[in-house]
Amino acid sequence: MLKNLILCIKLAIVFAGIVFFAKALQYLIFNGGFSGEFYDYLFFRK
């Protein structure tokens, strides 16, 4: 039971990482290049 829970948590973290990376990449593509704004988006400073 606990092993399944840990596996689910690991999968959720990996999935969230992929989604976050895709969103960051999409933001980069639509706003062109690595600007200060991109880092604000990446580190939630907005």
Side-chain angles (χ1 to χ4, degrees):
M1 179 66 193
L2 194 65
K3 261 187 185 171
N4 285 348
L5 193 67
I6 291 165
L7 185 70
C8 283
I9 290 166
K10 279 184 185 174
L11 281 172
I13 290 166
V14 169
F15 185 71
I18 291 165
V19 168
F20 179 77
F21 184 72
K23 278 189 187 293
L25 211 63
Q26 189 181 47
Y27 186 85
L28 248 186
I29 290 159
F30 286 125
N31 292 279
F34 279 97
S35 61
E37 217 179 324
F38 172 71
Y39 288 106
D40 286 347
Y41 178 79
L42 195 61
F43 298 110
F44 300 110
R45 283 195 301 232
K46 253 182 188 174

